[in-house]
Short mmCIF file of all heavy atoms in Angstrom, two decimals:
data_model
loop_
_atom_site.label_atom_id
_atom_site.label_comp_id
_atom_site.label_asym_id
_atom_site.label_seq_id
_atom_site.Cartn_x
_atom_site.Cartn_y
_atom_site.Cartn_z
N LEU N 1 -8.56 -9.15 24.35
CA LEU N 1 -8.32 -8.63 25.66
C LEU N 1 -7.81 -7.16 25.62
O LEU N 1 -6.89 -6.92 24.91
CB LEU N 1 -7.37 -9.55 26.31
CG LEU N 1 -6.70 -9.14 27.60
CD1 LEU N 1 -7.74 -9.04 28.73
CD2 LEU N 1 -5.50 -9.97 28.05
N VAL N 2 -8.45 -6.43 26.35
CA VAL N 2 -8.17 -4.96 26.40
C VAL N 2 -8.09 -4.43 27.81
O VAL N 2 -8.58 -5.19 28.71
CB VAL N 2 -9.15 -4.04 25.52
CG1 VAL N 2 -9.08 -4.50 24.08
CG2 VAL N 2 -10.54 -4.16 26.05
N GLN N 3 -7.64 -3.36 28.04
CA GLN N 3 -7.70 -2.77 29.30
C GLN N 3 -8.78 -1.79 29.47
O GLN N 3 -9.37 -1.24 28.58
CB GLN N 3 -6.38 -2.01 29.63
CG GLN N 3 -5.07 -2.88 29.68
CD GLN N 3 -3.83 -2.13 30.13
OE1 GLN N 3 -3.72 -0.92 29.86
NE2 GLN N 3 -2.98 -2.81 30.71
N ALA N 4 -9.23 -1.45 30.79
CA ALA N 4 -10.33 -0.54 31.00
C ALA N 4 -10.00 0.78 30.34
O ALA N 4 -8.84 1.35 30.49
CB ALA N 4 -10.53 -0.40 32.53
N GLY N 5 -10.86 1.38 29.77
CA GLY N 5 -10.76 2.61 29.05
C GLY N 5 -10.49 2.52 27.51
O GLY N 5 -10.55 3.49 26.81
N ASP N 6 -10.02 1.29 27.17
CA ASP N 6 -9.72 1.05 25.71
C ASP N 6 -11.05 1.05 24.85
O ASP N 6 -12.13 0.85 25.41
CB ASP N 6 -8.93 -0.17 25.50
CG ASP N 6 -7.53 -0.14 26.04
OD1 ASP N 6 -7.09 1.15 26.35
OD2 ASP N 6 -6.75 -0.98 26.18
N SER N 7 -10.72 1.00 23.57
CA SER N 7 -11.85 0.74 22.58
C SER N 7 -11.62 -0.46 21.80
O SER N 7 -10.46 -1.02 21.73
CB SER N 7 -11.88 1.95 21.63
OG SER N 7 -12.10 3.21 22.37
N LEU N 8 -12.71 -1.05 21.36
CA LEU N 8 -12.64 -2.21 20.43
C LEU N 8 -13.88 -2.17 19.52
O LEU N 8 -14.93 -1.71 19.87
CB LEU N 8 -12.79 -3.42 21.45
CG LEU N 8 -12.36 -4.78 21.02
CD1 LEU N 8 -10.83 -4.74 20.65
CD2 LEU N 8 -12.62 -5.87 22.04
N THR N 9 -13.64 -2.74 18.31
CA THR N 9 -14.69 -2.79 17.39
C THR N 9 -14.96 -4.32 16.96
O THR N 9 -13.94 -4.91 16.45
CB THR N 9 -14.38 -1.95 16.03
OG1 THR N 9 -14.14 -0.63 16.47
CG2 THR N 9 -15.39 -2.10 15.05
N LEU N 10 -16.27 -4.66 17.05
CA LEU N 10 -16.56 -5.91 16.73
C LEU N 10 -17.20 -5.80 15.41
O LEU N 10 -17.84 -4.94 15.00
CB LEU N 10 -17.65 -6.61 17.72
CG LEU N 10 -17.21 -6.63 19.14
CD1 LEU N 10 -18.32 -7.21 20.01
CD2 LEU N 10 -15.95 -7.40 19.29
N SER N 11 -17.02 -6.91 14.55
CA SER N 11 -17.56 -6.97 13.21
C SER N 11 -18.41 -8.25 13.12
O SER N 11 -18.06 -9.28 13.71
CB SER N 11 -16.41 -7.04 12.17
OG SER N 11 -15.67 -5.94 12.22
N CYS N 12 -19.49 -8.19 12.26
CA CYS N 12 -20.35 -9.38 12.02
C CYS N 12 -20.57 -9.35 10.51
O CYS N 12 -21.32 -8.46 9.98
CB CYS N 12 -21.67 -9.22 12.76
SG CYS N 12 -22.82 -10.60 12.43
N SER N 13 -19.98 -10.19 9.86
CA SER N 13 -20.12 -10.34 8.37
C SER N 13 -21.08 -11.35 7.98
O SER N 13 -21.29 -12.38 8.58
CB SER N 13 -18.81 -10.69 7.70
OG SER N 13 -17.81 -9.74 8.06
N THR N 14 -21.87 -11.06 6.87
CA THR N 14 -22.91 -11.93 6.32
C THR N 14 -23.03 -11.74 4.90
O THR N 14 -22.25 -11.03 4.28
CB THR N 14 -24.22 -11.77 7.18
OG1 THR N 14 -25.17 -12.70 6.80
CG2 THR N 14 -24.84 -10.40 6.76
N SER N 15 -24.01 -12.33 4.32
CA SER N 15 -24.24 -12.24 2.81
C SER N 15 -25.01 -11.09 2.53
O SER N 15 -25.68 -10.40 3.34
CB SER N 15 -25.07 -13.46 2.30
OG SER N 15 -26.41 -13.44 2.76
N GLU N 16 -24.83 -10.66 1.25
CA GLU N 16 -25.59 -9.43 0.77
C GLU N 16 -27.15 -9.64 0.97
O GLU N 16 -27.83 -8.73 1.33
CB GLU N 16 -25.25 -9.12 -0.64
CG GLU N 16 -25.95 -7.96 -1.22
CD GLU N 16 -25.69 -7.69 -2.71
OE1 GLU N 16 -24.85 -8.50 -3.25
OE2 GLU N 16 -26.13 -6.67 -3.25
N TRP N 17 -27.58 -10.94 0.73
CA TRP N 17 -29.03 -11.17 0.77
C TRP N 17 -29.60 -10.93 2.15
O TRP N 17 -30.52 -10.46 2.43
CB TRP N 17 -29.27 -12.54 0.26
CG TRP N 17 -30.69 -12.89 0.01
CD1 TRP N 17 -31.38 -12.72 -1.15
CD2 TRP N 17 -31.65 -13.31 0.96
NE1 TRP N 17 -32.73 -13.12 -0.92
CE2 TRP N 17 -32.91 -13.45 0.31
CE3 TRP N 17 -31.69 -13.63 2.34
CZ2 TRP N 17 -34.05 -13.92 0.94
CZ3 TRP N 17 -32.78 -14.06 2.94
CH2 TRP N 17 -34.00 -14.14 2.30
N THR N 18 -28.73 -11.44 3.11
CA THR N 18 -29.18 -11.37 4.46
C THR N 18 -29.09 -9.84 4.90
O THR N 18 -29.97 -9.31 5.60
CB THR N 18 -28.24 -12.22 5.41
OG1 THR N 18 -28.35 -13.65 5.03
CG2 THR N 18 -28.53 -11.99 6.94
N PHE N 19 -28.03 -9.14 4.59
CA PHE N 19 -27.75 -7.81 5.12
C PHE N 19 -28.81 -6.94 4.64
O PHE N 19 -29.19 -6.01 5.35
CB PHE N 19 -26.41 -7.37 4.63
CG PHE N 19 -25.88 -6.25 5.39
CD1 PHE N 19 -25.31 -6.38 6.57
CD2 PHE N 19 -25.92 -4.92 4.82
CE1 PHE N 19 -24.86 -5.26 7.34
CE2 PHE N 19 -25.42 -3.78 5.46
CZ PHE N 19 -24.82 -4.06 6.69
N SER N 20 -29.46 -7.16 3.47
CA SER N 20 -30.43 -6.21 2.99
C SER N 20 -31.83 -6.53 3.29
O SER N 20 -32.74 -5.79 3.02
CB SER N 20 -30.29 -6.26 1.40
OG SER N 20 -30.55 -7.61 0.88
N ARG N 21 -32.05 -7.69 4.09
CA ARG N 21 -33.42 -8.07 4.49
C ARG N 21 -33.69 -8.43 5.84
O ARG N 21 -34.70 -8.72 6.28
CB ARG N 21 -33.73 -9.33 3.65
CG ARG N 21 -33.88 -9.07 2.07
CD ARG N 21 -34.04 -10.30 1.20
NE ARG N 21 -34.23 -10.13 -0.16
CZ ARG N 21 -33.27 -9.84 -1.01
NH1 ARG N 21 -32.00 -9.70 -0.63
NH2 ARG N 21 -33.55 -9.67 -2.27
N TYR N 22 -32.54 -8.41 6.60
CA TYR N 22 -32.65 -8.89 8.06
C TYR N 22 -32.26 -7.63 8.94
O TYR N 22 -31.27 -6.97 8.75
CB TYR N 22 -31.64 -10.02 8.26
CG TYR N 22 -32.18 -11.37 7.78
CD1 TYR N 22 -32.39 -11.52 6.48
CD2 TYR N 22 -32.43 -12.33 8.64
CE1 TYR N 22 -32.80 -12.72 5.93
CE2 TYR N 22 -32.91 -13.61 8.24
CZ TYR N 22 -33.02 -13.81 6.82
OH TYR N 22 -33.53 -15.01 6.40
N ALA N 23 -33.11 -7.50 10.03
CA ALA N 23 -32.60 -6.73 11.06
C ALA N 23 -31.72 -7.36 11.88
O ALA N 23 -31.60 -8.66 11.97
CB ALA N 23 -33.95 -6.44 11.99
N MET N 24 -30.63 -6.63 12.36
CA MET N 24 -29.62 -7.33 13.09
C MET N 24 -29.30 -6.65 14.46
O MET N 24 -29.60 -5.47 14.67
CB MET N 24 -28.36 -7.20 12.26
CG MET N 24 -28.50 -7.97 10.93
SD MET N 24 -26.93 -7.88 9.85
CE MET N 24 -25.86 -9.00 10.74
N GLY N 25 -28.68 -7.29 15.40
CA GLY N 25 -28.36 -6.71 16.65
C GLY N 25 -27.24 -7.48 17.32
O GLY N 25 -26.59 -8.50 16.74
N TRP N 26 -26.85 -6.87 18.39
CA TRP N 26 -25.69 -7.35 19.29
C TRP N 26 -26.25 -7.78 20.57
O TRP N 26 -26.99 -7.00 21.23
CB TRP N 26 -24.58 -6.40 19.41
CG TRP N 26 -23.80 -6.18 18.07
CD1 TRP N 26 -23.90 -5.22 17.21
CD2 TRP N 26 -22.71 -6.96 17.59
NE1 TRP N 26 -22.97 -5.37 16.21
CE2 TRP N 26 -22.26 -6.48 16.50
CE3 TRP N 26 -22.01 -8.11 18.05
CZ2 TRP N 26 -21.23 -7.02 15.62
CZ3 TRP N 26 -20.94 -8.69 17.40
CH2 TRP N 26 -20.62 -8.07 16.16
N PHE N 27 -25.92 -8.85 21.12
CA PHE N 27 -26.19 -9.26 22.55
C PHE N 27 -24.83 -9.73 23.15
O PHE N 27 -23.83 -10.00 22.56
CB PHE N 27 -27.16 -10.52 22.52
CG PHE N 27 -28.49 -10.04 22.02
CD1 PHE N 27 -28.76 -9.92 20.62
CD2 PHE N 27 -29.59 -9.73 22.93
CE1 PHE N 27 -30.04 -9.45 20.38
CE2 PHE N 27 -30.87 -9.35 22.53
CZ PHE N 27 -31.01 -9.29 21.16
#
């Protein structure tokens, strides 16, 4: 929960195998 104007960083962790072979996105 943040206020309008604030910043936030989302993270998505996975395996090395996935990270090096998969396109990724945020929805």
Side-chain angles (χ1 to χ4, degrees):
L1 172 64
V2 297
Q3 294 186 331
D6 284 352
S7 298
L8 202 60
T9 299
L10 304 182
S11 302
C12 176
S13 298
T14 188
S15 68
E16 179 181 3
W17 194 91
T18 298
F19 198 76
S20 62
R21 294 170 176 81
Y22 283 63
M24 299 180 72
W26 290 99
F27 290 79

